[in-house]
Amino acid sequence: MLTWTFPTTELRLMFGAPPRGARTGLWDPTADDGPAGLTLDDVHAALVPGTPDPRVLERVAQAPHLRFVQLAGAWHGGLAGVLPAGVTVADARGVHADGAAELAVGLALAQLRGIDDAARRMTVQHWSPAPGRVGSLTGSRVLVVGAGTVGTEVVARLRAFRASVTVVARTARETLDGRVHGVDELPHLLPRADVVVLAVPLTDATTHLVDEDFLAAMHDGALLVNVAHGRVVDTDALVDELGSGRLRAALDVTDPSPLPPDHLLWRAPNALVTPEVGRRTPLTAARLTELARRQLTALLAERPLENVVAGPPVIPLLDL
């Protein structure tokens, strides 16, 4: 009997009855408690909540018969080697794309149209538009850095606003939707962008992709929107640029995270910060349980798993 654990009762109930040959259990590996009503020996597959954390995966790795880990978020390079070599890991690519893309556009609109300033002025009952905050997505030149599921959904929404959109990925290529530029072209593309949206996964190559040189290449008054990962941006370099008043930023992810109360980003001019809400929508849990059902069905049928980022894509049942 294959045992798959969920981190919350809500997800387990949404999943419903498991297919024949499997059972479900409760185990939140972000907490100190072990599986509810089970032992670590019972666990074959686990859904790991939140942003992947090496410490959490180390706790999951204590299950001696563990063969599959389904992440609720995106895989990143810092997790390599944390789990044993024989364990297959899949991420939740696509589950959060709509929510992240929706927030990216919302953050851009809030900054360009001064909605964030208006919300702050409401607290002091002050009726006055913010000086110098006139902008629009319509007609803006937007550079989307990342051509995966999140980047694709961002582009689709931006085109509805009739923005001029340029897409950047790791390598240049031609697609049915037009040219995708390579990351090596960023120095030439950044000076022309009014808005830069970050939608890349966190890897060794993207860690601090947005550094002093990247930010210096953006033109005065340009807006940086980050719905990717906090460590994609060199926070100190961004704080310096924001402190000078030259750039604007709208960030759903930060480094460090959570952002400490005394951090300079909270008080930086022209900065809007939200606490990682882009991937939290009413659809998220439903899509995650749908993915879990497909994965469990594939496991039982010994078929290839989706979104595999480490380990073999097919797990023989004889090994369980």
Side-chain angles (χ1 to χ4, degrees), residues 36-118:
L38 302 169
T39 68
L40 288 176
D41 285 344
D42 296 319
V43 179
H44 301 111
L47 176 60
V48 176
T51 302
D53 185 320
R55 294 166 297 181
V56 173
L57 292 189
E58 287 169 359
R59 187 172 295 148
V60 174
Q62 294 173 10
H65 303 300
L66 181 74
R67 294 307 310 278
F68 178 63
V69 171
Q70 174 64 60
L71 303 176
W75 173 264
H76 60 77
L79 300 175
V82 177
L83 289 168
V87 175
T88 296
V89 183
D91 67 12
R93 218 170 311 151
V95 167
H96 309 286
D98 285 327
E102 183 178 78
L103 188 68
V105 174
L107 288 171
L109 283 171
Q111 267 280 16
L112 292 171
R113 301 305 302 269
I115 298 171
D116 55 332
D117 273 334

Side-chain angles (χ1 to χ4, degrees), residues 32 66 83 134 155 184 229 237 246 251 267 275 286 295 308 314:
D32 292 332
L66 181 74
L83 289 168
V134 179
V155 170
D184 58 309
H229 192 286
R246 198 181 72 81
L251 314 168
R267 301 181 298 280
Q295 299 286 55
V308 171
V314 177

